[in-house]
Amino acid sequence: MVILDGGMGRELQRSGAPFRQPEWSALALTEAPDAVVGVHASYIEAGARVITSNSYAVVPFHIGEARFAQEGQQLADTAGRLARAAADASVHAVQVAGSLPPLFGSYRPDLFEPARVAEVVTPLVEGLSPHVDLWLLETQSAVEEVRAIHGHLPEDGKPRWVSFTLQDEDTDDTPRLRSGQPVAEAVEAVAALGVETVLFNCSQPEVIGGAVDAARAVIERLNADIALGAYANAFPPQPKEAKANDGLDELREDLDPPGYLTWAQAWRAQGASVIGGCCGIGPEHIAQLSHGLR
């Protein structure tokens, strides 16, 4: 059982770090780096053994085209270095996952620009590479972007994890990515890339169980050595026109730490072995997971 961390942005704001749009959590990399280390440390203390670099917002969508061109690699390096410092300061064995986010806007597969992938992902990879233990392509809405990002990863032997975000409104009986692509097809596609872990994140907990089942069926059919995981968000369903990180949404009262643990226990029973939290899931949730799942 691998316990992941939770969301970064809300915890930065709660710690008093400067936090605003459009920079979102990237703002703290230069204005409050100690706060970033503090959030990482709080998750480690709660029981997380894989923490994620604070590089999700280090993309032109958040920090602007000009600043990304000038500082993108440096900011990614800072995000990796701060996570590494928190991991190395722990008495526990803690791994750092290098976050590679949607490059052109979360929840928006329609904004994907294939011709610009190298321009955006290369500074992230080069900045993070010295500091991370594994690569995490997270909150991915479409298979095409995953393939494109994966194609620019270095041949460094580090594990490659892919986490998809799911449709959580107007759903049918087939679990789907936000692009509309069936989860089963997406998992088959990334299995061909040789990924070691498939996860589902930044979605309602209600839709994750079906995705885990669909993914497990594909993995078993392929006889693939791929772990399953999940880290849901804690706010209401997001409409198709929504963008991740466009504001702090109200949190669901039923997804307090005990409530979230109930969902996590169900995913564990379905075969998930890598579990944490996304937006709105804090250290108190991770502590509950650590005690309740191990």
Side-chain angles (χ1 to χ4, degrees):
M1 188 72 232
V2 178
I3 303 295
L4 307 177
D5 57 5
M8 173 62 72
R10 200 176 296 262
E11 291 305 305
L12 284 171
Q13 186 192 51
R14 190 159 74 169
S15 74
F19 183 79
R20 63 174 182 267
Q21 285 286 54
E23 297 95 336
W24 199 251
S25 57
L27 189 63
L29 293 172
T30 52
E31 297 195 14
D34 289 347
V36 177
V37 175
V39 172
H40 286 314
S42 69
Y43 282 121
I44 294 170
E45 183 179 357
R49 296 298 174 258
V50 177
I51 59 171
T52 306
S53 64
N54 182 33
S55 49
Y56 191 93
V58 182
V59 287
F61 175 83
H62 281 292
I63 65 173
E65 295 284 355
R67 189 177 182 196
F68 182 81
Q70 295 172 357
E71 302 178 43
Q73 183 171 334
Q74 178 185 343
L75 290 170
D77 176 84
T78 299
R81 180 167 42 81
L82 296 177
R84 183 81 267 155
D88 289 349
S90 174
V91 298
H92 304 286
V94 178
Q95 291 188 301
V96 174
S99 172
L100 297 175
L103 303 180
F104 308 102
S106 301
Y107 295 3
R108 293 294 303 275
D110 57 306
L111 298 181
F112 177 52
E113 299 181 54
R116 294 191 63 200
V117 170
E119 170 193 345
V120 180
V121 78
T122 300
L124 295 178
V125 169
E126 291 183 353
L128 290 168
S129 187
H131 313 292
V132 305
D133 300 297
L134 62 96
W135 297 106
L136 173 59
L137 287 66
E138 61 176 339
T139 322
Q140 297 295 319
S141 296
V143 172
E144 292 77 11
E145 183 162 1
V146 170
R147 286 197 183 106
I149 295 174
H150 189 274
H152 287 85
L153 291 178
E155 294 297 330
D156 55 9
K158 295 176 181 177
R160 300 170 180 195
W161 296 9
V162 173
S163 190
F164 292 109
T165 182
L166 305 165
Q167 284 185 359
D168 51 17
E169 69 158 12
D170 301 327
T171 57
D172 56 26
D173 292 335
T174 301
R176 298 179 184 275
L177 312 188
R178 292 189 189 272
S179 62
Q181 295 165 308
V183 163
E185 293 180 11
V187 174
E188 187 155 1
V190 297
L193 298 177
V195 304
E196 295 194 12
T197 302
V198 171
L199 308 98
F200 303 100
N201 81 296
C202 212
S203 312
Q204 293 287 287
E206 286 84 352
V207 299
I208 284 179
V212 170
D213 282 342
R216 190 185 68 248
V218 171
I219 291 167
E220 289 175 351
R221 174 170 56 80
L222 298 175
N223 194 28
D225 185 15
I226 298 175
L228 280 171
Y231 51 116
N233 59 36
F235 44 69
Q238 300 297 292
K240 290 182 172 140
E241 65 273 12
K243 296 177 183 178
N245 299 349
D246 64 353
L248 288 173
D249 295 283
E250 291 295 321
L251 300 182
R252 290 171 44 175
E253 292 184 3
D254 62 313
L255 292 180
D256 59 359
Y260 190 70
L261 173 62
T262 299
W263 287 105
Q265 288 170 326
W267 305 330
R268 181 73 181 101
Q270 291 171 278
S273 59
V274 184
I275 299 178
C278 201
C279 309
I281 301 299
E284 61 278 8
H285 293 81
I286 301 306
Q288 191 89 38
L289 296 185
S290 181
H291 290 298
L293 297 178
R294 283 196 172 123

